[in-house]
């Protein structure tokens, strides 16, 4: 039998099946394997909202999309080249996302009468038996049957055997894309080392899937994607929430502060609590509180005591933390509030992505309550962005809101390990004693940045009172004086505004300094905007891209940049929030592009929208 090998530049695969079929594990193993080969990648895990929806139903479909390429990758892809569908519901839910001519690998066992009925196919209709899939290459495999055959001599229940079927598909794809299985075998040994039956069944089925591709004459072509040209260094695949965790650890180490995380579990932020709890060796203290209020107030207490206070949540939890955030603003202490956004309002769409908490970050507290806002753009960027949030919090004695979202949090990309000496310094200045001529501590006496001193409780001579009531300027005593209140409100605002003097100027991500269209984004729209703008620029179109990390305060030159283009377009996964702030701040007639469907904006959608203004 003659085999051919085809070299591909770019591949998008989506693994889809029931939420018990192990699609997230399969996808993440293929991702890790891809990263180890030095191929650039981007992922988009798509979880069902229900913890355990009825098996075989559309509501229970779990997906994992992976794009890998020998070129630079910024999005997980608009359409799939390959769909792995473990049952009828997985095919139905994802059929619209496959390219014409793409491959569909189906587990035929998942297309019996019961599965077809649960997926709401009409009576007697089976897409594998009619011409509805004629535009695609369909690869039919009875994965369940072959998994059971591979394990025929192992004494296990049929349910336990069937749990290994995701490994069969993974093994087959490893063969199809010329991969080595050793890293997955090592992972399985680590995960199931104490359960020899489960370990053996998974490894055996993984090899069976590989051998099926290798020995079946139906498949004559394998595929290869070459290494991407990346800056030299040590890389690993990293997810957004992992990068947030490592960024916080690095900031704690660099500042010399002990870190305290006060958190209450909530999707999609809980992984940060899980990850940080593994790193006690770095002096990290994690506290799972009884509720959101206890979580943030414990972090406020830690910050008051001289630690790096951090709290993590998502939109509903941030709403509950609102009053305590006001207390942190009034106390003027360093605190990092991490908001991993999700679909809202209320409980909303817990497992779907959205950028709809920007107004909440800006204004979602009682009174005049200004707080810096920092945003991450990609999973790897979370490391640098949250590190910067810590730097601003500590050096400007203020709580800082850090924004990510579900797409960034659960997505993965290659991340180059930074060197400690390359990270910016985070200088901490605790007040050690009274200044010359200072008879008693003035806790609200300010420096040239309007920053008050960080005086640690128990330091001799630095006894002082703090609380949520309005402060008298300088002394920090309780004050109901009208003029003092106005002065303190203006001072707190000026302190946040002054941070613009200590952050970089805004740069263009791509494009020329003047032109027809400037696309301004923040957060997880980065990949789609960058890809769309790069493609249009290659066609000679007058389009540029600016992406914001610093959202409050804005970089000092942002207004000047916005006014250098005929049209400013602001794509957002919300109903138009950054656009309102830009219009208010800079009086620009910005145009919005809004998609609020729980999934990312695609490159194709943006190219079409930008085209309307060219």
């Amino acid at each position: 039998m003659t085999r051919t090998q085809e070299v591909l530049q770019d591949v998008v695969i989506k693994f889809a099946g029931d939420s018990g079929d192990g699609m997230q594990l399969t996808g993440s193993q293929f991702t890790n394997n891809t990263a180890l080969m030095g191929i650039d990648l981007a992922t988009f895990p798509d979880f069902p909202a229900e913890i355990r929806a009825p098996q075989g139903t559309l509501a229970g479909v779990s997906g994992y999309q992976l794009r890998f390429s020998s070129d630079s990758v910024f999005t997980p892809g608009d359409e799939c080249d390959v769909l792995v569908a473990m049952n009828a519901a997985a095919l139905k839910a994802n059929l619209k996302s496959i390219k014409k001519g793409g491959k569909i690998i189906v587990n035929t066992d998942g297309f019996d009468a019961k599965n077809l009925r649960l997926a709401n196919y009409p009576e007697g209709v089976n897409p594998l038996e009619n011409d509805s899939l004629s535009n695609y290459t369909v690869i039919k495999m009875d994965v369940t049957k072959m998994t059971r055959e591979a394990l025929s001599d192992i004494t296990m229940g049929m349910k336990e055997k069937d749990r290994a079927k995701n490994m069969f598909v993974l093994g087959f794809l490893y063969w199809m894309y010329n991969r080595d299985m050793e890293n997955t075998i090592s992972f399985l040994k680590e995960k199931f080392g104490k359960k020899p039956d489960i370990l053996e069944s998974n490894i055996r089925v993984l090899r069976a899937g590989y051998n099926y591709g290798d020995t079946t004459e139906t498949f004559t072509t394998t595929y290869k994607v070459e290494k991407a040209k990346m800056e030299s260094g040590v890389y690993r695949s990293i997810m957004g929430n992992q990068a947030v965790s490592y960024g916080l650890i690095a900031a704690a180490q660099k500042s010399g502060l002990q870190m305290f995380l006060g958190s209450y579990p909530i999707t999609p932020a809980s992984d940060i609590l899980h990850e940080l709890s593994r790193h006690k060796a770095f002096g990290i203290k994690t506290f799972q509180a009884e509720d959101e209020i206890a979580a943030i107030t414990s972090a406020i207490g830690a910050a008051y005591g001289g630690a790096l206070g951090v709290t993590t949540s998502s939109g509903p939890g941030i709403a509950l933390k609102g009053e305590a955030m006001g207390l942190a603003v009034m106390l003027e202490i360093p605190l990092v509030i991490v908001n991993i956004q999700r679909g809202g309002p209320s409980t909303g769409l817990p497992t779907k992505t959205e950028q709809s908490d920007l107004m909440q970050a800006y204004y979602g507290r009682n009174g005049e309550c200004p707080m810096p806002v920092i945003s991450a753009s990609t999973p790897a960027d979370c490391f640098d962005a949250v590190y910067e949030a810590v730097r601003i919090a500590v050096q400007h004695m203020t709580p800082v809101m850090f924004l990510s979202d579900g797409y960034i949090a659960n997505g993965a990309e290659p991340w180059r390990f930074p060197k400690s000496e390359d990270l910016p310094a985070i200088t901490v200045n605790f007040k050690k004693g009274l200044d010359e001529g200072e008879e008693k501590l003035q806790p609200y006496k300010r420096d040239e940045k309007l920053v008050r001193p960080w005086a640690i409780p128990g330091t001799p001579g630095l006894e002082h009172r703090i609380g949520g009531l309005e402060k008298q300027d300088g002394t920090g005593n309780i004050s109901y004086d009208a003029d003092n209140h106005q002065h303190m409100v203006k001072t707190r605002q000026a302190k946040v505004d002054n941070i613009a003097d200590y952050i970089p100027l805004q740069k263009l991500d791509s494009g020329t300094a003047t032109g027809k269209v400037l696309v301004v984004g923040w957060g997880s729209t980065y990949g789609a905007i960058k890809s769309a703008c790069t493609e249009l620029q290659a066609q000679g179109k007058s389009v540029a891209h600016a992406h914001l990390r610093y959202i409050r305060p804005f970089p000092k030159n942002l207004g000047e940049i916005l006014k250098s283009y005929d049209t400013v377009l602001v794509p957002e996964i919300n109903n138009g929030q950054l656009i309102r702030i830009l219009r208010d701040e800079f009086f620009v007639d910005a145009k919005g592009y809004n998609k609020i469907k729980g999934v990312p904006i695609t490159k194709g959608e943006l190219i079409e929208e930008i085209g309307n203004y060219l």
Side-chain angles (χ1 to χ4, degrees):
M1 179 172 59
T2 309
R3 298 257 191 219
T4 58
Q5 186 181 92
E6 193 178 324
V7 176
L8 302 173
Q9 186 178 325
D10 195 282
V11 179
V12 181
I13 298 179
K14 183 156 190 181
F15 301 90
D18 206 64
S19 53
D21 284 339
M23 292 297 97
Q24 301 301 323
L25 177 70
T26 309
S28 60
Q29 280 303 300
F30 200 94
T31 297
N32 291 342
N33 187 291
T34 303
L36 283 169
M37 294 182 71
I39 300 169
D40 203 5
L41 63 91
T43 71
F44 176 48
D46 188 13
F47 303 100
E50 287 77 10
I51 290 171
R52 197 69 183 88
Q55 207 166 352
T57 61
L58 291 164
V61 173
S62 175
Y64 190 103
Q65 187 165 315
L66 162 68
R67 180 183 180 194
F68 53 102
S69 175
S70 53
D71 281 342
S72 295
V73 164
F74 303 104
T75 73
D78 290 8
E79 294 180 305
C80 303
D81 300 293
V82 180
L83 171 68
V84 176
M86 297 298 280
N87 60 16
L91 176 67
K92 191 170 192 179
N94 292 287
L95 191 57
K96 62 183 180 294
S97 66
I98 314 169
K99 286 177 185 169
K100 293 285 184 282
K103 291 181 174 62
I104 303 175
I105 300 170
V106 294
N107 173 24
T108 53
D109 182 63
F111 286 78
D112 59 12
K114 182 186 176 187
N115 273 290
L116 290 165
R117 188 182 74 251
L118 287 166
N120 296 330
Y121 279 100
E123 191 72 36
V125 174
N126 184 339
L128 303 186
E129 294 170 1
N130 58 30
D131 62 357
S132 62
L133 301 179
S134 58
N135 289 328
Y136 312 99
T137 303
V138 180
I139 300 170
K140 299 178 189 176
M141 303 192 294
D142 194 338
V143 176
T144 309
K145 181 185 172 189
M146 289 188 283
T147 298
R148 290 172 182 174
E149 284 173 358
L151 302 177
S152 56
D153 59 340
I154 290 185
T155 311
M156 288 176 89
M158 208 59 82
K159 254 187 179 176
E160 281 69 34
K161 287 181 179 179
D162 288 351
R163 281 195 187 122
K165 64 184 182 227
N166 61 326
M167 287 294 119
F168 190 95
V169 173
L170 184 60
F172 177 73
L173 285 166
Y174 279 167
W175 170 81
M176 186 187 258
Y177 289 98
N178 272 289
R179 300 298 180 83
D180 189 292
M181 294 183 285
E182 283 311 308
N183 72 301
T184 294
I185 291 170
S186 299
F187 164 80
L188 292 169
K189 284 177 178 172
E190 195 177 318
K191 188 174 176 69
F192 299 119
K194 293 176 182 173
K195 298 173 180 174
D197 284 357
I198 296 174
L199 174 62
E200 189 187 347
S201 67
N202 276 280
I203 292 175
R204 198 184 281 195
V205 173
L206 179 73
R207 287 179 171 144
Y210 190 97
N211 294 334
Y212 174 72
D214 204 24
T215 57
T216 311
E217 294 193 8
T218 321
F219 312 113
T220 56
T221 309
T222 60
Y223 303 94
K224 186 178 183 184
V225 175
E226 299 289 356
K227 277 187 178 185
K229 294 175 183 69
M230 295 195 230
E231 196 181 340
S232 64
V234 181
Y235 285 82
R236 60 159 285 172
S237 173
I238 198 163
M239 295 164 73
N241 279 348
Q242 285 177 313
V244 169
S245 304
Y246 300 157
L248 289 169
I249 293 169
Q253 293 290 301
K254 200 76 175 175
S255 63
L257 295 171
Q258 190 173 65
M259 188 187 130
F260 176 90
L261 172 72
S263 184
Y264 181 76
I266 185 171
T267 302
S270 301
D271 288 339
I272 301 169
L273 171 61
H274 302 158
E275 184 62 42
L276 286 172
S277 66
R278 297 189 183 108
H279 297 286
K280 295 181 180 69
F282 291 106
I284 307 297
K285 288 187 168 64
T286 53
F287 168 54
Q288 181 175 318
E290 65 270 28
D291 57 40
E292 295 282 4
I293 298 169
I296 185 171
T297 49
S298 65
I300 288 171
Y304 176 55
L308 172 56
V310 181
T311 189
T312 55
S313 194
S314 188
I318 297 295
L320 291 166
K321 294 180 193 289
E323 184 185 1
M325 282 192 270
L327 173 62
V329 168
M330 184 65 93
L331 301 181
E332 299 187 44
I333 56 169
L335 175 72
V336 177
I337 300 136
V338 175
N339 179 359
I340 313 295
Q341 302 162 94
R342 68 190 212 185
S346 187
T347 311
L349 304 171
T351 62
K352 306 300 177 187
T353 198
E354 213 163 87
Q355 293 181 296
S356 50
D357 295 349
L358 182 57
M359 289 296 192
Q360 183 186 34
Y362 245 77
Y363 305 118
R365 299 165 291 282
N366 66 299
E368 297 291 341
C369 195
M371 187 187 295
V373 179
I374 302 285
S375 159
S377 305
T378 69
D381 184 55
C382 285
F383 179 92
D384 296 316
V386 82
Y387 186 95
E388 181 66 349
V390 173
R391 185 190 71 81
I392 289 172
V394 168
Q395 294 184 351
H396 295 269
M397 287 294 284
T398 177
V400 175
M401 178 81 79
F402 169 79
L403 295 177
S404 174
D405 62 39
Y407 172 38
I408 294 174
N410 296 312
E413 66 177 346
W415 174 59
R416 183 169 170 264
F417 281 97
K419 291 193 171 86
S420 177
E421 59 268 25
D422 295 339
L423 295 174
I426 299 179
T427 310
V428 177
N429 292 313
F430 290 127
K431 192 169 175 66
K432 299 286 197 300
L434 296 174
D435 295 336
E436 198 175 326
E438 193 179 20
E439 293 178 12
K440 189 181 176 189
L441 175 67
Q442 300 279 298
Y444 284 83
K445 180 185 174 186
R446 301 174 187 277
D447 65 11
E448 71 285 353
K449 294 190 287 190
L450 299 180
V451 173
R452 81 173 190 87
W454 196 356
I456 306 304
T459 307
L462 301 188
E463 299 82 3
H464 63 287
R465 173 195 292 159
I466 60 165
L469 290 167
E470 183 59 282
K471 306 280 168 275
Q472 185 181 52
D473 190 21
T475 67
N477 293 333
I478 294 167
S479 171
Y480 297 106
D481 179 77
D483 290 337
N484 178 76
H485 175 55
Q486 175 155 319
H487 169 72
M488 291 298 280
V489 166
K490 296 284 190 185
T491 302
R492 285 188 288 264
Q493 182 65 58
K495 183 177 88 164
V496 172
D497 293 342
N498 284 355
I499 293 170
D501 294 331
Y502 301 92
I503 60 174
L505 294 175
Q506 182 64 42
K507 291 180 180 173
L508 291 179
D509 191 81
S510 65
T512 54
T514 59
K516 285 190 175 177
V517 178
L518 173 68
V519 187
V520 178
W522 69 281
S524 63
T525 55
Y526 176 78
I529 297 173
K530 185 176 182 71
S531 302
C533 289
T534 305
E535 190 167 312
L536 289 168
Q537 286 156 8
Q539 297 168 18
K541 306 290 186 189
S542 178
V543 59
H545 171 205
H547 218 78
L548 306 182
R549 170 180 286 178
Y550 303 93
I551 305 184
R552 189 176 199 184
F554 289 120
K556 293 169 80 171
N557 64 330
L558 181 61
E560 182 189 327
I561 291 174
L562 296 176
K563 291 182 168 70
S564 301
Y565 298 84
D566 299 343
T567 303
V568 174
L569 178 66
V570 186
E572 298 181 82
I573 311 175
N574 59 41
N575 205 27
Q577 298 193 11
L578 176 64
I579 191 172
R580 285 183 170 87
I581 299 167
L582 292 177
R583 284 171 176 166
D584 174 47
E585 190 96 0
F586 302 110
F587 304 107
V588 290
D589 183 21
K591 310 297 180 188
Y593 177 75
N594 307 103
K595 180 178 179 180
I596 324 159
K597 298 182 178 181
V599 292
I601 295 171
T602 65
K603 178 184 81 171
E605 289 165 345
L606 273 187
I607 286 175
E608 187 179 334
E609 183 65 20
I610 295 166
N612 294 333
Y613 299 101
L614 286 170

